[in-house]
């Protein structure tokens, strides 16, 4: 189980930017899946916004992004690239489209996103309450240092701050998007979902990287002495 969790942590965004490394734009881009990953993340949501704004046709607005996501999977299979994340994206878009088509309300296309952000926020809060900040757990799995990081006060505090940061990310998304959902403002909801998606994720990942690097670089220097 530990090996499986460690492998999953290394495949995460933080895993792509190892906590002790010096930050670089290239590594940050890699953590977000590279240029292809960015396009695959942004284009379906952008397509929904553009198509719905122009046509106000719910069926067309949810099917076009889904078709784009399926095309991404096909391209990855043909080029023999990893396609697990692309398939997950298709499943997510299909579920979101299903919710919207069943209810006939375009804003229900965003319900799955609310659920994911809510579950993520709860998991982070629970980890803080249990005194096992989730960002510290992920970083320790990547580094392979076990649970010793909790005994180091500076490492624990940094992990706590970084975990609170991600609580802020998910809380901000919910705090802004949910009121727009209940107001039925689909255009603003789709726009802000894009803004609070990849750009906010990139900023949070960069800050987390800087925070975690401070303690892991210090440990590396101490071990080198």
């Amino acid at each position: 189980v530990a090996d499986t969790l460690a492998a999953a942590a290394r495949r995460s965004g933080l895993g792509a930017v190892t906590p002790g490394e010096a930050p670089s734009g290239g590594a940050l881009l890699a953590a977000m899946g590279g240029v292809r990953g960015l396009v695959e993340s942004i284009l379906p949501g952008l397509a929904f916004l553009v198509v719905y704004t122009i046509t106000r046709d719910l069926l067309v607005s949810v099917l076009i992004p889904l078709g784009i996501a399926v095309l991404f999977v096909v391209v990855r299979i043909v080029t023999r690239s990893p396609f697990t994340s692309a398939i997950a994206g298709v499943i997510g878009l299909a579920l979101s489209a299903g919710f919207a088509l069943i209810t006939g309300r375009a804003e229900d296309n965003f319900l799955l996103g609310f659920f994911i952000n809510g579950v993520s926020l709860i998991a982070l809060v629970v980890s803080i309450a249990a005194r096992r900040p989730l960002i510290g757990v992920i970083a320790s799995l990547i580094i392979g240092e076990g649970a010793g990081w909790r005994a180091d006060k500076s490492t624990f505090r940094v992990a706590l701050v970084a975990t609170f940061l991600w609580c802020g990310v998910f809380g901000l998304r919910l705090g802004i998007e949910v009121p727009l959902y209940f107001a039925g403002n689909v255009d603003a909801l789709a726009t802000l979902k894009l803004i609070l998606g990849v750009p906010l994720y990139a900023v949070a990942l960069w800050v987390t990287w800087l925070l975690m690097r401070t303690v892991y670089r210090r440990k590396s220097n101490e071990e080198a002495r």
Side-chain angles (χ1 to χ4, degrees), residues 32-65:
M32 294 186 292
V35 174
R36 175 185 283 186
L38 286 176
V39 172
E40 292 176 352
S41 299
I42 296 172
L43 194 55
L46 182 61
F48 173 86
L49 174 61
V50 172
V51 174
Y52 185 78
T53 300
I54 294 173
T55 67
R56 296 292 165 178
D57 187 315
L58 176 59
L59 180 61
V60 175
S61 299
V62 297
L63 289 184
I64 287 180

Side-chain angles (χ1 to χ4, degrees), residues 160-208:
L160 188 64
V161 170
T163 304
F164 270 116
L165 170 67
W166 284 96
C167 286
V169 169
F170 296 116
L172 180 63
R173 287 175 178 170
L174 292 171
I176 292 176
E177 294 174 11
V178 171
L180 292 173
Y181 168 82
F182 285 111
N185 193 337
V186 179
D187 295 336
L189 181 54
T191 301
L192 286 168
K193 183 176 176 62
L194 287 172
I195 295 172
L196 297 174
V198 173
L200 183 60
Y201 171 79
V203 170
L205 183 60
W206 183 269
V207 174
T208 301

